[in-house]
Amino acid sequence: MAQALHLFVSSPSSGQTLSKLSFSRQTCSFISYPERRIPFSVVRRSISAISSDLESSSSARVLVSDIGQGGVLSADSSAIEVDAVSEAELKENGFRSTRRTKLVCTIGPATCGFEQLEALAVGGMNVARINMCHGTREWHRSVIQSVRRLNEEKGYAVAIMMDTEGSEIHMGDLGGASSVKAEDGEIWTFSVRAFGSTLPERTINVNYGGFAEDVKVGDELLVDGGMVRFEVIEKIGPDVKCRCTDPGLLLPRANLTFWRDGSLVRERNAMLPTISSKDWLDIDFGIAEGVDFIAISFVKSAEVINHLKSYIAARSRDSDIAVIAKIESIDSLKNLEEIIQASDGAMVARGDLGAQIPLEQVPAAQQMIVQQCRELNKPVIVASQLLESMIEYPTPTRAEVADVSEAVRQRADALMLSGESAMGQFPEKALTVLRSVSLRIERWWREEKRHEAMELPDIASSFSDSISEEICNSAAKMANNLEVDAIFVYTKTGYMASLLSRCRPDCPIFAFTATTSVRRRLNLQWGLIPFRLGLTDDMESNLNRTFSLLKARGMIKSGDLVIAVSDMLQSIQVMNVP
Ligand SMILES: Nc1ncnc2c1ncn2[C@@H]1O[C@H](COP(=O)(O)OP(=O)(O)OP(=O)(O)O)[C@@H](O)[C@H]1O
Ligand SMILES: CC(=O)C(=O)O
Ligand SMILES: [K+]
Ligand SMILES: [Mg+2]
């Protein structure tokens, strides 16, 4: 599929050929040289960087020549869609200060109303997460419908993530109570018996039939990874009597793990399938409702992800639901690379992860997962307890702010609220904290020029992908060197947008795509501002149309410096907005 490779440098005023390297065979790139702001030496340096990158990876050559800018703007009626929040941010603060880190909010009783959802959308929620551990399908459907209505009526582009229950051991509902306090020394009964609608006092229902057989007297029972602890003191048939050793609040359907001699007991529940029969019904529900992401709890291997992906491909019309692997078990850490490789993204699910490995190992695991995801070009979400105290209080602790900062500094794609937004008292305030901490840390990073030395490995599996990768790496480098205002990427599948995001450039990335579902999926990725725009194969016309539409809406202005990258032509162009 050989195409001609051209790298054009245009000087609108001189009309001269500025430099010529040599001929190409594979791809087609354009660079226009805007006289206004950049010394030509810088452009030349960037071009030779691209040439040598391409040369080292292939036999492609780069041609540098001069063409006219051709920036005639045509009035165009076809609309461009961007979400209302990004638009307002761009207008008010300009490109540079847009938020790069994406925000996911778990929706629960505290946030399921239309106005509450709207407040989260205004506050910067990029993805709404529904957790199938809780609530009925009817409840979840009404949340999905509200989010869709919000998007349609008010111009937001909030994506929807469905999170499966998974088949680990957990407690049942607390007979309707939103939480119950377990005090030090109290004796509680954990039972697999079916109780009617009313639970006897100090009794907890357990979902896993083998529970009473598996535990032994002396085992330690951890609720939610240690938020509350019990010691097993007696077994009576299906009932397990436990003494509370660490008091705390029991929440409905909280996860249960048990430990013996300092390590997690997992022989028996390792036999439970990752995707339970209830999960499959939930997945069918998610496919039917057209959710954008399905997050799979307690993934153990790549196999289950591959299985789910083919299941979705066979059932979903456009098979465009992204599968997110939740890393929250020892097995998922063991098989991390193959799991991430198979998935469309991953979540550092610190809640359950911290129940399976010692707590002090969670930060290192987080760092490793975030790094691997970036290397493999998969978006990564850091989740759980980011602002836990804000479930009850309007202000976060200093330690929580430091934790959020660390995730932003690690350049995770997204941060997630769980209980803070699902059932906390201050969902909007918690979102504001995530937003303002993200913005502040990102700015600090740019101002201090803390480009990390992360060497991104080559991931392309074809020559064409390799060109895309080189172009994106070079475009990001050029964007930083030239201090451009934004990178524009025209992308059919979103792949090139993700490659640019992976480079974590200083400037925001405007991603233009023709498909609504691709646009919503890009919502999860660092630094991308997704737009929906009808695209043609003619890049000049795409560019001109974008410029006129964005200018008309006040999102860019003449003279802004942009680098445009396209996966249709595999091209790069540097230009001032005419
Ligand atoms: N749809 C819902 N209905 C009622 N309560 C909910 C709902 N979603 C979340 N919650 C509440 O918010 C808390 C935190 O939500 P979160 O999604 O982190 O759940 P979780 O039970 O910790 O499971 P997971 O490990 O999947 O995150 C839950 O424990 C539950 O009390
Ligand atoms: C998010 C999640 O599932 C966890 O932290 O366990
Ligand atoms: K879940
Ligand atoms: Mg979990």
Side-chain angles (χ1 to χ4, degrees):
M1 205 193 57
Q3 305 162 321
L5 171 78
H6 309 290
L7 204 73
F8 295 117
V9 171
S10 76
S11 168
S13 59
S14 74
Q16 279 179 0
T17 300
L18 296 171
S19 159
K20 203 176 246 179
L21 295 181
S22 68
F23 252 119
S24 71
R25 340 170 290 220
Q26 268 291 341
T27 186
C28 188
S29 308
F30 304 87
I31 292 196
S32 340
Y33 165 46
E35 264 198 331
R36 205 185 100 253
R37 290 180 42 178
I38 322 160
F40 180 57
S41 59
V42 177
V43 175
R44 193 196 294 274
R45 239 185 296 126
S46 299
I47 290 167
S48 34
I50 300 176
S51 337
S52 60
D53 281 354
L54 280 175
E55 269 171 316
S56 64
S57 72
S58 72
S59 56
R61 294 285 182 275
V62 176
L63 169 70
V64 176
S65 73
D66 171 52
I67 54 164
Q69 186 111 317
V72 184
L73 293 182
S74 54
D76 198 313
S77 57
S78 57
I80 190 163
E81 290 171 25
V82 63
D83 72 276
V85 177
S86 300
E87 179 167 3
E89 241 182 63
L90 285 170
K91 282 180 185 162
E92 278 162 32
N93 310 321
F95 293 173
R96 288 246 148 207
S97 55
T98 54
R99 172 169 47 82
R100 312 295 201 269
T101 311
K102 299 303 176 73
L103 306 176
V104 182
C105 301
T106 304
I107 306 305
T111 38
C112 59
F114 190 77
E115 276 85 38
Q116 293 159 322
L117 287 168
E118 181 168 20
L120 293 180
V122 171
M125 165 173 68
N126 302 101
V127 179
R129 167 182 179 254
I130 49 172
N131 188 350
M132 303 312 280
C133 284
H134 309 280
T136 61
R137 281 191 204 114
E138 294 322 305
W139 185 92
H140 291 293
R141 180 178 291 118
S142 89
V143 171
I144 294 173
Q145 283 169 355
S146 297
V147 172
R148 295 271 189 257
R149 183 153 75 85
L150 200 58
N151 289 346
E152 274 158 33
E153 289 176 10
K154 310 260 174 141
Y156 299 106
V158 176
I160 292 166
M161 177 180 295
M162 190 192 88
D163 195 322
T164 61
E165 176 165 339
S167 50
E168 296 296 289
I169 307 175
H170 58 76
M171 316 187 324
D173 289 318
L174 302 169
S178 62
S179 66
V180 187
K181 185 88 201 284
E183 302 283 1
D184 198 18
E186 279 177 1
I187 309 296
W188 284 68
T189 304
F190 288 77
S191 179
V192 297
R193 270 189 291 154
F195 297 96
S197 52
T198 47
L199 275 177
E201 219 194 340
R202 291 190 196 157
T203 302
I204 295 291
N205 212 220
V206 179
N207 75 323
Y208 166 51
F211 179 72
E213 287 131 63
D214 279 12
V215 293
K216 286 190 180 157
V217 171
D219 282 353
E220 199 180 20
L221 189 64
L222 272 65
V223 180
D224 259 346
M227 301 310 285
V228 188
R229 285 169 200 254
F230 294 87
E231 188 194 336
V232 177
I233 52 169
E234 196 185 358
K235 297 206 299 185
I236 313 167
D239 295 354
V240 178
K241 299 265 179 208
C242 300
R243 180 187 298 112
C244 182
T245 51
D246 270 344
L249 275 190
L250 302 174
L251 298 175
R253 308 176 82 78
N255 185 256
L256 292 176
T257 45
F258 49 104
W259 293 61
R260 194 172 299 154
D261 306 323
S263 40
L264 183 77
V265 179
R266 57 196 188 98
E267 290 79 30
R268 284 293 287 276
N269 64 15
M271 306 292 287
L272 296 172
T274 302
I275 302 180
S276 69
S277 43
K278 188 239 179 198
D279 288 342
W280 283 114
L281 294 175
D282 287 338
I283 288 165
D284 287 340
F285 164 82
I287 294 172
E289 295 295 323
V291 300
D292 301 292
F293 302 92
I294 296 183
I296 297 297
S297 296
F298 298 102
V299 171
K300 297 182 184 120
S301 67
E303 212 183 308
V304 70
I305 301 285
N306 291 328
H307 180 42
L308 176 60
K309 288 190 74 156
S310 24
Y311 184 87
I312 293 172
R315 276 158 190 84
S316 152
R317 249 168 302 127
D318 327 313
S319 69
D320 49 10
I321 301 177
V323 174
I324 305 293
K326 293 176 69 188
I327 310 300
E328 52 184 344
S329 64
I330 295 177
D331 293 317
S332 61
L333 286 178
K334 270 200 214 138
N335 304 322
L336 188 62
E337 186 171 346
E338 55 163 68
I339 291 173
I340 296 174
Q341 193 67 265
S343 315
D344 302 308
M347 184 192 293
V348 190
R350 306 187 303 183
D352 286 302
L353 188 60
Q356 299 229 342
I357 62 174
L359 279 185
E360 61 275 17
Q361 286 176 23
V362 174
Q366 173 179 324
Q367 160 77 36
M368 179 183 65
I369 299 162
V370 169
Q371 182 170 330
Q372 280 232 12
C373 283
R374 182 156 160 214
E375 287 179 359
L376 297 173
N377 193 31
K378 311 285 178 167
V380 61
I381 307 160
V382 173
S384 292
Q385 298 186 347
L386 286 158
L387 298 171
E388 187 78 359
S389 75
M390 292 192 77
I391 291 177
E392 278 178 86
Y393 302 102
T395 315
T397 68
R398 279 46 173 172
E400 286 166 342
V401 171
D403 179 48
V404 173
S405 304
E406 175 62 7
V408 175
R409 200 200 52 75
Q410 286 172 351
R411 322 200 102 194
D413 288 85
L415 309 176
M416 190 173 107
L417 294 177
S418 303
E420 302 92 331
S421 55
M423 45 72 130
Q425 291 184 50
F426 306 98
E428 289 162 45
K429 283 207 163 90
L431 187 59
T432 302
V433 172
L434 287 192
R435 197 181 62 234
S436 53
V437 174
S438 299
L439 282 167
R440 188 63 191 89
I441 299 298
E442 291 164 0
R443 200 177 88 210
W444 164 76
W445 186 283
R446 286 195 297 276
E447 286 171 357
E448 305 264 320
K449 288 259 170 272
R450 292 181 176 272
H451 302 295
E452 75 281 67
M454 184 188 271
E455 268 302 308
L456 294 171
D458 297 337
I459 48 166
S461 53
S462 67
F463 186 66
S464 171
D465 279 359
S466 192
I467 293 172
S468 298
E469 207 173 304
E470 295 295 346
I471 285 177
C472 290
N473 292 346
S474 304
K477 209 184 300 172
M478 286 169 73
N480 291 349
N481 291 346
L482 302 174
E483 297 186 0
V484 306
D485 294 298
I487 299 175
F488 283 18
V489 55
Y490 295 82
T491 177
K492 281 191 173 142
T493 59
Y495 184 60
M496 241 168 152
S498 71
L499 286 171
L500 284 165
S501 163
R502 175 184 185 234
C503 295
R504 307 294 197 250
D506 283 349
C507 65
I509 304 158
F510 287 36
F512 302 96
T513 178
T515 330
T516 308
S517 57
V518 171
R519 174 182 163 215
R520 276 201 307 262
R521 272 171 64 161
L522 297 180
N523 256 349
L524 191 60
Q525 300 184 25
W526 191 96
L528 296 183
I529 304 174
F531 293 82
R532 206 196 62 77
L533 175 73
L535 298 176
T536 70
D537 284 335
D538 177 3
M539 264 307 289
E540 281 306 303
S541 106
N542 287 335
L543 272 174
N544 290 337
R545 219 167 77 241
T546 319
F547 288 151
S548 63
L549 287 168
L550 292 182
K551 269 165 68 175
R553 294 192 33 186
M555 285 185 270
I556 57 170
K557 53 187 188 314
S558 290
D560 283 338
L561 183 62
V562 302
I563 291 183
V565 170
S566 135
D567 66 10
M568 290 153 230
L569 294 173
Q570 288 189 308
S571 62
I572 302 184
Q573 197 164 1
V574 183
M575 59 202 344
N576 284 115
V577 174

